[in-house]
Every structure is written in structure tokens, then in C-alpha cells.
Amino acid sequence: MGLRSKHNEATALVRQMTLQEKASLCSGKSFWYIKGNERLGLQPVMVTDGPHGLRKQTSSGDHVGLHTSVPATCFPTASALASSWNPQLLREIGVALGEQCVAENVAVLLGPGVNIKRHPLCGRNFEYFSEDPLLAGEMAAALIEGVQSQGVGTSIKHFAANNQEFGRMFIDVVVDERTLREIYLPAFEVAVKRAQPWTVMCAYNRINGTYCGEHDWLLNQVLREEWGFEGLVVSDWGATNDRVDGVRSGLDLEMPASGPDNDNKVANAVASGTLDEATLDTTAIRVASLSLLGADNVQNTVALDQVAHHTLARRAAAECAVLLKNADDLLPITKTTSFCVIGAFAKQPRYQGTGSSQVVPTTLDNAYDAIATLTGRTDIAYAPGYHPKSDALDADSIDTAARLAAEHDVALVFAGLPTIYESEGFDREHMRMPEQHNLLIEAVCRANPRTVVILSNGAPVEMPWIDQPAAVLEMYLAGQGGGGAAADLIFGDANPCGRLAETFPLRVQDVGSNPWFPGGDGRQVHYREGLYVGYRYFDTFNVPVLFPFGHGLSYTTYEYDDIDVSPTWSADREPLSVRVSVTNSGERKGSETVQVYVRSPAGAAYRPVHVLAGFTRLPLQPGEIGEAIVTLEPRAFACYDAEAQRWVTLPGEYEVCVGASSRDIRQTAVVQVRSEDAVSRTLRGPSMEGGQLQVDDAVFADMLGHAIPPPESTQPFHRNSTLNEIAAVRIGRIFKDFAMRAYLKQLGGLSDPTLARMFEEMARTMPLRALPLLAGGGGGKKGISNAHIDALLNLVNGRFLKGLWQLLRVQLHR
Ligand code: BGC
């Protein structure tokens, strides 16, 4: 049941509202509540983060995970979940999340995040599913279906092209429409069309000059008209730039509370005729519908089974883990093997990321205890090897660990990225693990090559030591059940069946988008690599990688035979079915993820060599032969012709390739595609020269279909200048210090170094217009108000007298 079910009731209510009431309905009541309308009996309802657990704050609210929240099951984060390639699992987790929301009277869970991993250093990649839009969309749709089956809404985020943390509140993503349509939008499109999330959260950034929250093309034309979205668009927290433009362009709800300023602007715009009242009515009806639907459902009750949810979290973590390497089938080891446990993460697990998604878990497994329980042993030798929260070098700890490894048959080394290495709010600086972790692994491997490395990290890392350990198990950020899951996998109680939902590059310099990430010099980031994201780049140009997209080993083996697909297909026909038989040729039961890639003929459009077109998971007993049936949607063969504004399917010989990764193709078949389509002009794209993508200004302009837009000027300073930028002048520096202190005070002090770093980065690059919202005030009595910002702009732009006079007036009227 979606928002539409409340349309009539909501319309009747909005008809009874005054102009001011309607305007006011469309902004938050507080950090987490939607206002409602007391006079008309419309209740305030709560929305809250998301995505892999519930972060319900009952006292102070914040959008960075600073203040505590009620305990809730912490499931694996999105990069792990996507590695399951198992929509059914995502649905189950969605149901559990929905139940928790019902139990806590939360109307909308703010997730999932489906932004594409354009570059492995995006600080928030742990919260996103994949570098592939089809996989990300399928995972998101399943999670949404699960949550919403419980009568709780979701907020798919961050719409759109929010692929980095650097400058996220002002950066302008310059990207061609074909790339948007084929890479950055389809995950949203799949999820919206399939699962109708109650809400879509618009991103902070701009796309081609326009903030996502005032992007009529994005919100009204594409999302609503083309995809048929029936729900409400909510701003990311503090993303509102021009509220009136936002209403005009389809941004319904501004979050969090912004004080009366923006509501007044909206009401005044209607009164003065610059905003159509019917547009405001439509917006208000959507917000009222959400309140009504939310209020209905939060009256439900559910008997929460926390133990069952934890069991699900543990099973999910095991299903998500990816066995990257397993020389001589070292894994699984028997419970009686002589082994030692090395690495502080075994006792103090790294299991989720920092920022708005941070959950207080109901309980937390650690691998050391789980191994002890599973093996029934009480004497497991252990050495920490490093400090869990810092990357300081410590040779003694390494020596002790190496000695321990030499005394045992197998060494289990838990390593990865400490919290400070990846977080919302800032991007990673490099793709390396801490040197201490690398040195530890190398030393342990020298002492005992029968070493298993178990990794906890939210995104790819370089592995300079990859030839040395016998086995590597990628757990990602596995949630509260991750420790137990690691034990299950190491000792063979579970069989790894995860597959990478992203490529692990050898070096960050090898990544297609690397020359243009994160951009920002001129407040712009150019997506010059176009379609060449992830494996689309690596595979097209045969760039060596550490582990390819889709890779993952198992304790059993699978054989593929007898591909069966129609030899011809017409573009105007039904989806195309691909069948292949898969045999479990090993001795353990397992689940194989059968991946289907479509390889296009060379032609008039630049294209990646192949794209993922479908997949399925096949559970198989030892010796069992199963049939994988994968349905390819017509879109799998199409490309977007931006000039003609339509999807086109070019005729020709396509290859349907079935395999166990993008580089492990086991069966292929040729399909002759019949179509009358042609592209309106040759679609040019980047080329490869000297081992790097070349996209000069002429090619990029050609991709864009127009000249590259100049970046926004930084002077004179304006409402979207950042604290960092205004610090170029003395008075700006003084204000920056003051604002940072005010923000810090609001957050209540920061002792955690990752939070401190996140705060620092966010504050430095926060546009001035967001300060009233996120540093308190919003026209209210305390904090920084919009009037303060106006005064400040006069001051930093050299209009001292005017600025001072304004400041005086603001203070006098408080
Ligand atoms: C994040 C969102 C989150 C919101 C509320 C923002 O900073 O980008 O993902 O839902 O805060 O915490």
C-alpha cells in the first residue's frame, strides 16, 4: 500500500488548510519528525536512518551518528549485502527492519542507498551496493519490498549522482545524459518501478548546474512522469537550497526542521503569484498522505524477536562473505586443527561504518568467542597484532604474532580498515590498509604460509601481500553477526557463496574515473569517464585487476553446460530467457550465482565490452544438476540516445555470456538482434591511450552535447560559498571559527577521532546557506539565522557598514 491510497483523504485535509498551514506542512517539525497539523488532527510521524539497521534517536538528533540511538539489529552494510546477489535475503532483512520500525513507531526508514560506486575511495561506499546499476537496483527493490511489506515506508537515496563525500553539499556533477541514464539512474529506476518506495531522498549535490532538490527534470520529468513514482521526495538533511524553487521542481518535504523562514518564503511566493498554489497543494497533499499512512501504521504492534533477528544477521553475514582466495583448499579447517587467532578485530570487530547509518547493536558477536564456542575450545592462542582503532606502527606486536603463527598449523589473521579510514563525510585518501596490518600479514605469512586473512572493510583495499597467505576471506562490514559468521565459514559450517559486487583494482591509479575524482577545484566534478565505471572500464580495456567483478570462490565447484537461448531476438519483443545447466561437482552443498553478461557488437555507439544483464542464485546439493533461468529485459541490449531522447537497440550480433564472474565466462551463445533503430549521431566517448582514459574537452563537450559549462564563480561570496572559501578573508576566518564552535557545541563535543574528522570535513565544506539548518537557528531565537548569513555575506564581500548594520538589526530583533 503506497501513498496513493491516502490521496483523497489527504486532499480533503489540505483543502481545509490555510496557505500558511500548507507551506508549513512541507518542512520538518524537528530533526526526525514530520509536522502534521494539530488543528486538523494530522499527527506528526517519525522518519529515521537506515539503512542496515534502525538509528532511532530519542533525545538529541543529529545526522552524523553522534548521539546514541535505541539498540537495533545491525545487519551487514550494503556493500556486504550486495555481495550476496540474493534478493530473497534482502527481502528477509527488509521484513526484519520493517518489524523493528513498527516496534519503535517509526513510519519511514531512511534507506537504502543505491548510489553507484564510481570510485573505490568514496568514503561512503560501504553504504552503497555496487558499481553495477542492475545489481544495485535489484538489491534495493528487494529491501524496499521487505520493509514496506510491514506497512513501513522507505527512502531510497541519494537521488542522484552522489558518488563522493568531498564537497557533497555543493559539488556540481557535470555528466552527460547517456551516462546518467545508463549508469547513475537505473538503480533508482528499477527500484521505483518495481517497489514504489514511499519516498525518494534527493541528494545534496547538483547535477549539471542545478541542485538535485530543485531539479525539475530529475524529480518531475524523469522520476514522476517517466518512471511513474507515486511517493514523496524528501530533501537530504540540509540539502535545501532555494525552497521555493524546490517546491516548484518537485521537492515535497524539507528536512530537518528549518524554522519559519522557508515556510514564509513559500507562502509569500504563492501570495505574490510567483508560485502556483496548485503546485503547493500537490506538494502538501503528498506530505499529508505520508503522515496519514505513517500514522496508520505506527499504531500497529509487533512482538519483536531480537534473537531471531540476530540469527538472521549472522546468516546474512555468512551469505555475504566472499572467499577471494583458497590455495590448496586450506579452508575450511577442521575444529581440531591446531590454529591461532591474530588481529584485534577478532575481539573488537569492525562491523559497520561511521555516520548517519551507525546503529547501536542489540548484541555483538566477536570472532574469537564465536570460534571458541564453535570448536568447544577454551585455550585458543591469540595475539592482537595491532591497535583496533589506530594505525600506529608497533613492531613488537608483529613479532609476537609471527611467533605464535609459527607454533601452529594454521594462522587466522583478522585485519582490514580501522574506522578512521572510511566514513560518511570524507573520502578515503588512498586504497591501502594501515601499514601495520600489511606488515603483520606479511610477517605472519613468512612464519607460516598456512595463513588465512579475514578482512573487515567497507570497500576494496590494495593487497600487496596477496601471493603470501593461502586464503583470503572478505567479510566486508558484516554487522553484529559478523564474528559468528566468520567462525561458521572458517570451520565449514557455512559455505561461502558471496560474489564481489564491485571490482577490486590492483591500484587506485588503475580506476577509470581516477583522473577526475573527486574534482572540486572549480566546485565541479567531471564524469569524463562516462560509461566506463567499474568492470565496464577494466574489462573493455583489459586492465589487470586484483579480483574481478562477480568473483568469489566456494568450498565446492560448479560446472556450466548447455546454454540455451533463442538465436534471434527482436527488440520490440518480450524479455529474452537464457537457460544454462549448472552441476555442483564438489562434495558440499552450496549456492552458485550465475551471471549473464551481454556483449555488444562494435558499432555506432561507444560501449563497454559487456554489461551485466541478469543473474540468479542456484542452491545445489553435491552432485545435483540445476537449471539456471535468467530473464534479460530488453534494456540489456539498449543504449540511450540523448539527442533523440530515447532508448535505442542497435541491430547486430550480440553475445550472451554466462559465467561465474565478469572474467570467468563459461558459456556463450550468439543472438542475432533485429531492430530498426539507429542512433541519431555517432555516440563518441573516451578512448584509451598510454594506459589511461583520454577525454579531452572536445570529446567531453561532444558527450555532453554542449560546451562544458564554466564552474560557478567563488567571488563575490554567495550563499553557497563554504566556510573554507570565506576564510580567504579575515572576517570570514573569524566567522568560520565561530561557526565551527557553534556547530561543535550543538553536537555536544567530539571525543571520537572519526567523528571529529567527519565533523571537520563537513563543516569546512558546508555551504553558508546550510548553517541555519544544521547549526541551529533557521530564523529561530538561537544559533545562526538566514539574516545572519545575509549580514555575513555583506561583511565578507567588503560591504562592511551594510553588514554591520544588518547584524545589529538581527541581534536587536532577537
Ligand atoms: C545523510 C542521509 C541521512 C540523513 C539523516 C544525511 O547527512 O546523507 O543519508 O539519511 O543525513 O541522518
Side-chain angles (χ1 to χ4, degrees), residues 127-155:
E127 247 189 276
Y128 299 141
F129 290 117
S130 178
E131 65 190 26
D132 181 83
L134 178 83
L135 181 55
E138 294 289 335
M139 294 294 122
L143 191 90
I144 292 167
E145 280 166 359
V147 175
Q148 295 195 170
S149 70
Q150 301 307 299
V152 173
T154 52
S155 194

mmCIF file of all heavy atoms in Angstrom, residues 127-155:
data_model
loop_
_atom_site.group_PDB
_atom_site.id
_atom_site.type_symbol
_atom_site.label_atom_id
_atom_site.label_comp_id
_atom_site.label_asym_id
_atom_site.label_seq_id
_atom_site.Cartn_x
_atom_site.Cartn_y
_atom_site.Cartn_z
ATOM 1 N N GLU A 127 28.130 2.023 2.339
ATOM 2 C CA GLU A 127 26.669 2.164 2.450
ATOM 3 C C GLU A 127 25.969 1.959 1.116
ATOM 4 O O GLU A 127 24.758 2.084 1.026
ATOM 5 C CB GLU A 127 26.356 3.579 2.930
ATOM 6 C CG GLU A 127 25.763 3.641 4.301
ATOM 7 C CD GLU A 127 25.272 5.033 4.619
ATOM 8 O OE1 GLU A 127 26.092 5.872 5.056
ATOM 9 O OE2 GLU A 127 24.082 5.285 4.438
ATOM 10 N N TYR A 128 26.743 1.731 0.062
ATOM 11 C CA TYR A 128 26.156 1.561 -1.272
ATOM 12 C C TYR A 128 26.374 0.142 -1.763
ATOM 13 O O TYR A 128 27.293 -0.546 -1.332
ATOM 14 C CB TYR A 128 26.763 2.580 -2.242
ATOM 15 C CG TYR A 128 26.514 4.017 -1.834
ATOM 16 C CD1 TYR A 128 27.492 4.994 -1.987
ATOM 17 C CD2 TYR A 128 25.292 4.394 -1.269
ATOM 18 C CE1 TYR A 128 27.269 6.314 -1.605
ATOM 19 C CE2 TYR A 128 25.056 5.702 -0.888
ATOM 20 C CZ TYR A 128 26.047 6.668 -1.055
ATOM 21 O OH TYR A 128 25.804 7.960 -0.671
ATOM 22 N N PHE A 129 25.530 -0.267 -2.712
ATOM 23 C CA PHE A 129 25.540 -1.671 -3.117
ATOM 24 C C PHE A 129 26.651 -2.046 -4.095
ATOM 25 O O PHE A 129 27.364 -3.004 -3.877
ATOM 26 C CB PHE A 129 24.190 -2.056 -3.739
ATOM 27 C CG PHE A 129 23.045 -2.109 -2.757
ATOM 28 C CD1 PHE A 129 21.963 -1.260 -2.876
ATOM 29 C CD2 PHE A 129 23.051 -3.034 -1.722
ATOM 30 C CE1 PHE A 129 20.898 -1.312 -1.975
ATOM 31 C CE2 PHE A 129 21.995 -3.105 -0.817
ATOM 32 C CZ PHE A 129 20.918 -2.244 -0.955
ATOM 33 N N SER A 130 26.741 -1.316 -5.206
ATOM 34 C CA SER A 130 27.533 -1.894 -6.293
ATOM 35 C C SER A 130 28.027 -0.839 -7.276
ATOM 36 O O SER A 130 27.570 0.303 -7.270
ATOM 37 C CB SER A 130 26.661 -2.909 -7.036
ATOM 38 O OG SER A 130 27.345 -3.478 -8.117
ATOM 39 N N GLU A 131 28.946 -1.262 -8.132
ATOM 40 C CA GLU A 131 29.348 -0.426 -9.262
ATOM 41 C C GLU A 131 28.432 -0.703 -10.460
ATOM 42 O O GLU A 131 28.554 -0.051 -11.483
ATOM 43 C CB GLU A 131 30.797 -0.714 -9.640
ATOM 44 C CG GLU A 131 31.036 -2.128 -10.174
ATOM 45 C CD GLU A 131 32.514 -2.492 -10.326
ATOM 46 O OE1 GLU A 131 33.356 -1.920 -9.614
ATOM 47 O OE2 GLU A 131 32.816 -3.365 -11.159
ATOM 48 N N ASP A 132 27.554 -1.680 -10.323
ATOM 49 C CA ASP A 132 26.668 -2.042 -11.420
ATOM 50 C C ASP A 132 25.228 -1.650 -11.086
ATOM 51 O O ASP A 132 24.690 -2.045 -10.052
ATOM 52 C CB ASP A 132 26.718 -3.550 -11.686
ATOM 53 C CG ASP A 132 25.816 -3.908 -12.843
ATOM 54 O OD1 ASP A 132 26.264 -3.767 -13.989
ATOM 55 O OD2 ASP A 132 24.645 -4.278 -12.608
ATOM 56 N N PRO A 133 24.580 -0.895 -11.972
ATOM 57 C CA PRO A 133 23.240 -0.393 -11.653
ATOM 58 C C PRO A 133 22.163 -1.477 -11.572
ATOM 59 O O PRO A 133 21.246 -1.359 -10.766
ATOM 60 C CB PRO A 133 22.929 0.575 -12.806
ATOM 61 C CG PRO A 133 23.926 0.312 -13.870
ATOM 62 C CD PRO A 133 25.107 -0.353 -13.231
ATOM 63 N N LEU A 134 22.297 -2.520 -12.390
ATOM 64 C CA LEU A 134 21.273 -3.566 -12.344
ATOM 65 C C LEU A 134 21.302 -4.276 -10.995
ATOM 66 O O LEU A 134 20.274 -4.441 -10.321
ATOM 67 C CB LEU A 134 21.499 -4.580 -13.476
ATOM 68 C CG LEU A 134 20.519 -5.730 -13.484
ATOM 69 C CD1 LEU A 134 19.229 -5.334 -14.189
ATOM 70 C CD2 LEU A 134 21.098 -6.970 -14.140
ATOM 71 N N LEU A 135 22.495 -4.653 -10.576
ATOM 72 C CA LEU A 135 22.632 -5.351 -9.293
ATOM 73 C C LEU A 135 22.164 -4.446 -8.143
ATOM 74 O O LEU A 135 21.411 -4.872 -7.264
ATOM 75 C CB LEU A 135 24.091 -5.785 -9.093
ATOM 76 C CG LEU A 135 24.413 -6.547 -7.821
ATOM 77 C CD1 LEU A 135 23.542 -7.785 -7.666
ATOM 78 C CD2 LEU A 135 25.894 -6.948 -7.793
ATOM 79 N N ALA A 136 22.590 -3.169 -8.180
ATOM 80 C CA ALA A 136 22.187 -2.240 -7.110
ATOM 81 C C ALA A 136 20.662 -2.098 -7.085
ATOM 82 O O ALA A 136 20.042 -2.101 -6.006
ATOM 83 C CB ALA A 136 22.848 -0.879 -7.318
ATOM 84 N N GLY A 137 20.056 -1.993 -8.254
ATOM 85 C CA GLY A 137 18.604 -1.810 -8.327
ATOM 86 C C GLY A 137 17.845 -3.026 -7.813
ATOM 87 O O GLY A 137 16.862 -2.898 -7.085
ATOM 88 N N GLU A 138 18.319 -4.208 -8.181
ATOM 89 C CA GLU A 138 17.643 -5.438 -7.728
ATOM 90 C C GLU A 138 17.721 -5.564 -6.205
ATOM 91 O O GLU A 138 16.758 -5.956 -5.553
ATOM 92 C CB GLU A 138 18.292 -6.675 -8.369
ATOM 93 C CG GLU A 138 18.115 -6.763 -9.867
ATOM 94 C CD GLU A 138 16.692 -7.092 -10.293
ATOM 95 O OE1 GLU A 138 15.965 -7.691 -9.499
ATOM 96 O OE2 GLU A 138 16.319 -6.713 -11.419
ATOM 97 N N MET A 139 18.889 -5.264 -5.660
ATOM 98 C CA MET A 139 19.062 -5.368 -4.209
ATOM 99 C C MET A 139 18.156 -4.358 -3.504
ATOM 100 O O MET A 139 17.487 -4.684 -2.519
ATOM 101 C CB MET A 139 20.527 -5.094 -3.823
ATOM 102 C CG MET A 139 21.512 -6.103 -4.321
ATOM 103 S SD MET A 139 21.264 -7.710 -3.547
ATOM 104 C CE MET A 139 20.989 -8.689 -4.961
ATOM 105 N N ALA A 140 18.145 -3.134 -4.032
ATOM 106 C CA ALA A 140 17.342 -2.085 -3.400
ATOM 107 C C ALA A 140 15.858 -2.435 -3.463
ATOM 108 O O ALA A 140 15.135 -2.299 -2.463
ATOM 109 C CB ALA A 140 17.604 -0.748 -4.088
ATOM 110 N N ALA A 141 15.411 -2.902 -4.626
ATOM 111 C CA ALA A 141 13.981 -3.207 -4.779
ATOM 112 C C ALA A 141 13.564 -4.259 -3.755
ATOM 113 O O ALA A 141 12.519 -4.146 -3.107
ATOM 114 C CB ALA A 141 13.701 -3.692 -6.199
ATOM 115 N N ALA A 142 14.400 -5.280 -3.573
ATOM 116 C CA ALA A 142 14.051 -6.366 -2.653
ATOM 117 C C ALA A 142 13.988 -5.846 -1.209
ATOM 118 O O ALA A 142 13.067 -6.180 -0.455
ATOM 119 C CB ALA A 142 15.071 -7.495 -2.770
ATOM 120 N N LEU A 143 14.962 -5.028 -0.831
ATOM 121 C CA LEU A 143 14.969 -4.499 0.548
ATOM 122 C C LEU A 143 13.722 -3.638 0.783
ATOM 123 O O LEU A 143 13.061 -3.734 1.825
ATOM 124 C CB LEU A 143 16.247 -3.686 0.803
ATOM 125 C CG LEU A 143 16.432 -3.337 2.269
ATOM 126 C CD1 LEU A 143 17.222 -4.432 2.987
ATOM 127 C CD2 LEU A 143 17.166 -2.019 2.452
ATOM 128 N N ILE A 144 13.412 -2.819 -0.209
ATOM 129 C CA ILE A 144 12.236 -1.936 -0.087
ATOM 130 C C ILE A 144 10.957 -2.776 0.044
ATOM 131 O O ILE A 144 10.109 -2.509 0.900
ATOM 132 C CB ILE A 144 12.158 -0.992 -1.310
ATOM 133 C CG1 ILE A 144 13.328 -0.001 -1.282
ATOM 134 C CG2 ILE A 144 10.817 -0.255 -1.361
ATOM 135 C CD1 ILE A 144 13.538 0.756 -2.575
ATOM 136 N N GLU A 145 10.854 -3.793 -0.795
ATOM 137 C CA GLU A 145 9.659 -4.653 -0.719
ATOM 138 C C GLU A 145 9.523 -5.247 0.679
ATOM 139 O O GLU A 145 8.431 -5.305 1.242
ATOM 140 C CB GLU A 145 9.760 -5.790 -1.743
ATOM 141 C CG GLU A 145 9.394 -5.359 -3.150
ATOM 142 C CD GLU A 145 9.809 -6.385 -4.216
ATOM 143 O OE1 GLU A 145 10.404 -7.431 -3.870
ATOM 144 O OE2 GLU A 145 9.569 -6.116 -5.387
ATOM 145 N N GLY A 146 10.651 -5.681 1.232
ATOM 146 C CA GLY A 146 10.629 -6.283 2.563
ATOM 147 C C GLY A 146 10.170 -5.295 3.619
ATOM 148 O O GLY A 146 9.241 -5.566 4.393
ATOM 149 N N VAL A 147 10.776 -4.130 3.661
ATOM 150 C CA VAL A 147 10.424 -3.127 4.684
ATOM 151 C C VAL A 147 8.955 -2.734 4.519
ATOM 152 O O VAL A 147 8.176 -2.728 5.480
ATOM 153 C CB VAL A 147 11.315 -1.867 4.559
ATOM 154 C CG1 VAL A 147 10.860 -0.791 5.541
ATOM 155 C CG2 VAL A 147 12.795 -2.195 4.784
ATOM 156 N N GLN A 148 8.594 -2.427 3.276
ATOM 157 C CA GLN A 148 7.240 -1.894 3.056
ATOM 158 C C GLN A 148 6.154 -2.949 3.231
ATOM 159 O O GLN A 148 5.002 -2.599 3.470
ATOM 160 C CB GLN A 148 7.178 -1.194 1.691
ATOM 161 C CG GLN A 148 8.095 0.034 1.681
ATOM 162 C CD GLN A 148 7.885 1.017 0.537
ATOM 163 O OE1 GLN A 148 8.446 2.103 0.572
ATOM 164 N NE2 GLN A 148 7.092 0.670 -0.455
ATOM 165 N N SER A 149 6.534 -4.231 3.189
ATOM 166 C CA SER A 149 5.529 -5.274 3.440
ATOM 167 C C SER A 149 5.037 -5.184 4.886
ATOM 168 O O SER A 149 4.003 -5.749 5.232
ATOM 169 C CB SER A 149 6.127 -6.663 3.185
ATOM 170 O OG SER A 149 7.076 -6.972 4.196
ATOM 171 N N GLN A 150 5.780 -4.480 5.719
ATOM 172 C CA GLN A 150 5.382 -4.334 7.121
ATOM 173 C C GLN A 150 4.599 -3.046 7.372
ATOM 174 O O GLN A 150 4.383 -2.642 8.515
ATOM 175 C CB GLN A 150 6.625 -4.360 8.025
ATOM 176 C CG GLN A 150 7.427 -5.643 7.906
ATOM 177 C CD GLN A 150 6.563 -6.872 8.114
ATOM 178 O OE1 GLN A 150 5.979 -7.069 9.163
ATOM 179 N NE2 GLN A 150 6.440 -7.699 7.072
ATOM 180 N N GLY A 151 4.240 -2.356 6.303
ATOM 181 C CA GLY A 151 3.495 -1.104 6.476
ATOM 182 C C GLY A 151 4.385 0.048 6.896
ATOM 183 O O GLY A 151 3.936 1.021 7.506
ATOM 184 N N VAL A 152 5.663 -0.059 6.587
ATOM 185 C CA VAL A 152 6.627 1.000 6.922
ATOM 186 C C VAL A 152 7.222 1.486 5.607
ATOM 187 O O VAL A 152 7.474 0.691 4.705
ATOM 188 C CB VAL A 152 7.745 0.426 7.817
ATOM 189 C CG1 VAL A 152 8.845 1.440 8.030
ATOM 190 C CG2 VAL A 152 7.171 -0.030 9.154
ATOM 191 N N GLY A 153 7.444 2.791 5.514
ATOM 192 C CA GLY A 153 7.983 3.336 4.271
ATOM 193 C C GLY A 153 9.499 3.266 4.215
ATOM 194 O O GLY A 153 10.181 2.989 5.206
ATOM 195 N N THR A 154 10.033 3.513 3.017
ATOM 196 C CA THR A 154 11.493 3.602 2.835
ATOM 197 C C THR A 154 11.796 4.914 2.141
ATOM 198 O O THR A 154 10.895 5.603 1.653
ATOM 199 C CB THR A 154 12.001 2.457 1.940
ATOM 200 O OG1 THR A 154 11.229 2.457 0.741
ATOM 201 C CG2 THR A 154 11.904 1.112 2.629
ATOM 202 N N SER A 155 13.076 5.243 2.093
ATOM 203 C CA SER A 155 13.506 6.441 1.387
ATOM 204 C C SER A 155 14.737 6.080 0.587
ATOM 205 O O SER A 155 15.847 6.046 1.127
ATOM 206 C CB SER A 155 13.821 7.556 2.400
ATOM 207 O OG SER A 155 13.933 8.786 1.749
#
